[in-house]
């Protein structure tokens, strides 16, 4: 299967051509590699920047002729060191920084955000255990590079090591409560009941549906850790998963808690890092200024502070 064509976002003004290395198989680890990246240190002004490190690769492309787009705000942050199976043009860019309007984006063909601790060395593929071993050996360099990329984007980055946060609740809301009611009604065909509770089971995840009134009553008298957006309950499930899977957490097995706000917006105490009321006010202001009140984009919002893959959550 090939995916060929223009992209709506097109943060990189050129072509991303792949797979950079042959062997990729959808929904499989068969094409996995620990590829070495050479870091372009001159592109960074902050952070601890490694010279080279090995990064998890499984099917990404190469940013063709990336150095030629310097006048378009493109900077090469890292390049492949191995020979590629496709024509990369000038350079072998694996990570690029792109100016986009008033902001910027970092695009990667490997997965520097992916830790080796998430991989099972006993998966049974030839040489897979050595791939995991190589990634573990370079894990600190991976973390340093990822932090440097975030600093380049202008973000505040803690240099201290912190524990992986547990999954938070998902909050589903709408600008208009009537729209929320219609959305819930549309979901009825896929909602199942089990022990008096409602769930949605899709291809990859299971969602436990909750209502704000029920959540508030259940939280009365609980400890602060339990009231922090459901993370306490998720942490219990994650700890059990760690025991069962030799510390490899299978997040698709953890039930995701979906809080349906059918009477209004989530309060700031429920989502302290995102103000839904401010979001709604700004969305309405934008619609008024652009005379686009008929648009529906952004009126329904699914928000979570700590989630798994957003692509998987929405598509599967």
């Amino acid at each position: 299967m090939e995916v060929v064509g223009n992209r709506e976002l097109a943060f990189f003004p050129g072509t991303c051509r792949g797979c950079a290395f042959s062997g990729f198989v959808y929904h499989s680890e068969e094409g996995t590699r620990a590829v070495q990246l050479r870091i372009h240190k001159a592109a960074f002004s902050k952070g601890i920047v490694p010279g080279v490190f090995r990064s998890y690769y499984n099917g990404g492309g190469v940013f063709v002729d990336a150095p030629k787009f310097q006048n378009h705000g493109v900077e090469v942050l890292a390049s492949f060191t191995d020979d590629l199976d496709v024509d990369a043009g000038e350079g072998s860019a694996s990570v690029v920084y792109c100016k986009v309007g008033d902001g910027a984006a970092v695009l990667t063909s490997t997965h520097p955000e992916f830790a080796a601790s998430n991989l099972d060395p006993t998966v049974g593929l030839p040489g897979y255990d050595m791939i995991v071993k190589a990634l573990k050996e370079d894990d600190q360099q991976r973390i340093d590079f990822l932090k440097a990329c975030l600093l380049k984007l202008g973000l505040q980055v803690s240099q201290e090591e912190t524990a992986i946060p547990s999954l938070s609740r998902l909050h589903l809301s709408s600008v208009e409560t009537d729209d929320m009611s219609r959305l819930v009604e549309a979901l009825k065909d896929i909602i199942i009941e089990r022990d008096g509770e409602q769930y949605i089971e899709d291809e990859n995840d299971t969602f436990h549906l909750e209502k704000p009134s029920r959540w508030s009553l259940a939280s009365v008298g609980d400890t602060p850790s339990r009231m922090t957006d459901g993370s306490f309950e998720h942490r219990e499930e994650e700890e059990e998963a760690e025991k069962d899977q030799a510390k490899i957490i299978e997040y698709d097995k953890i039930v995701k808690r979906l809080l349906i706000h059918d009477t209004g917006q989530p309060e700031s105490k429920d989502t302290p890092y995102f103000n839904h009321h401010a979001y709604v006010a700004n969305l309405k202001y934008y619609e008024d200024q652009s005379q686009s009140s008929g648009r529906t984009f952004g009126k329904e919002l699914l928000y979570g502070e700590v989630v798994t893959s957003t692509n998987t959550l929405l598509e599967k």
Side-chain angles (χ1 to χ4, degrees):
M1 179 188 294
E2 291 186 353
V3 180
V4 180
N6 296 326
R7 294 293 174 268
E8 182 179 1
L9 295 177
F11 292 151
F12 179 65
T15 297
C16 183
R17 180 176 293 148
C19 298
F21 302 97
S22 60
F24 172 72
V25 178
Y26 277 98
H27 310 297
S28 168
E29 292 291 309
E30 288 186 31
T32 298
R33 291 173 178 241
V35 298
Q36 182 170 273
L37 304 182
R38 177 176 59 84
I39 312 306
H40 296 234
K41 288 191 171 185
F44 298 92
S45 59
K46 297 179 180 178
I48 302 170
V49 186
V52 296
F53 78 99
R54 287 164 291 186
S55 180
Y56 175 83
Y57 170 90
N58 192 7
V62 59
F63 298 97
V64 179
D65 289 327
K68 294 182 178 179
F69 293 98
Q70 185 175 356
N71 292 336
H72 295 269
V74 174
E75 298 179 50
V76 178
L77 303 185
S79 298
F80 293 110
T81 61
D82 297 330
D83 293 336
L84 306 182
D85 293 328
V86 295
D87 182 8
E90 181 181 333
S92 300
S94 58
V95 184
V96 293
Y97 169 93
C98 306
K99 290 291 292 181
V100 183
D102 294 331
V106 170
L107 309 179
T108 72
S109 54
T110 66
H111 290 275
E113 81 288 357
F114 204 82
S117 58
N118 292 313
L119 301 174
D120 182 2
T122 64
V123 74
L125 294 173
Y128 193 78
D129 57 335
M130 297 307 296
I131 292 174
V132 176
K133 181 177 183 291
L135 293 173
K136 284 183 177 179
E137 290 174 352
D138 285 4
D139 196 57
Q140 186 57 54
Q141 293 94 317
R142 174 193 68 81
I143 294 172
D144 291 340
F145 175 72
L146 187 57
K147 286 183 177 181
C149 289
L150 296 177
L151 287 168
K152 188 170 180 65
L153 288 171
L155 300 176
Q156 295 182 357
V157 179
S158 172
Q159 295 300 327
E160 299 178 1
E161 289 191 17
T162 57
I164 297 174
S166 40
L167 298 179
S168 62
R169 271 186 174 86
L170 297 168
H171 296 264
L172 181 61
S173 62
S174 177
V175 172
E176 304 291 342
T177 55
D178 289 345
D179 291 340
M180 193 72 251
S181 299
R182 284 190 287 269
L183 179 57
V184 173
E185 182 69 23
L187 293 173
K188 278 191 173 181
D189 289 342
I190 60 174
I191 293 175
I192 61 174
E193 292 213 11
R194 190 163 56 233
D195 299 327
E197 300 291 335
Q198 293 184 323
Y199 297 86
I200 293 177
E201 294 182 348
D202 62 12
E203 180 183 341
N204 191 79
D205 296 291
T206 298
F207 301 91
H208 180 195
L209 308 186
E210 300 177 338
K211 295 290 183 68
S213 57
R214 176 183 175 280
W215 182 40
S216 298
L217 289 173
S219 299
V220 173
D222 284 348
T223 63
S225 61
R226 192 175 194 83
M227 296 173 64
T228 307
D229 203 27
S231 60
F232 181 85
E233 296 94 325
H234 278 125
R235 172 54 68 189
E236 287 181 326
E237 294 181 18
E238 289 167 17
E239 288 176 351
E240 287 301 315
E242 287 179 352
K243 294 176 184 177
D244 294 340
Q245 300 296 329
K247 296 188 178 181
I248 297 175
I249 302 174
E250 293 186 87
Y251 285 100
D252 56 333
K253 300 292 191 299
I254 297 176
V255 175
K256 316 305 186 293
R257 288 172 167 80
L258 176 58
L259 193 60
I260 298 176
H261 296 266
D262 53 358
T263 60
Q265 302 302 317
E267 297 298 329
S268 58
K269 64 181 178 62
D270 301 333
T271 59
Y273 299 107
F274 186 81
N275 190 321
H276 283 75
H277 295 281
Y279 168 78
V280 170
N282 281 278
L283 181 64
K284 289 182 176 178
Y285 175 78
Y286 169 76
E287 289 177 344
D288 291 341
Q289 295 297 310
S290 60
Q291 298 180 344
S292 59
S293 57
R295 293 187 180 181
T296 58
F297 179 80
K299 288 192 173 182
E300 284 78 34
L301 182 65
L302 181 62
Y303 170 80
E305 290 170 7
V306 181
V307 302
T308 54
S309 165
T310 54
N311 185 65
T312 300
L313 284 172
L314 295 175
E315 294 292 332
K316 297 183 178 181

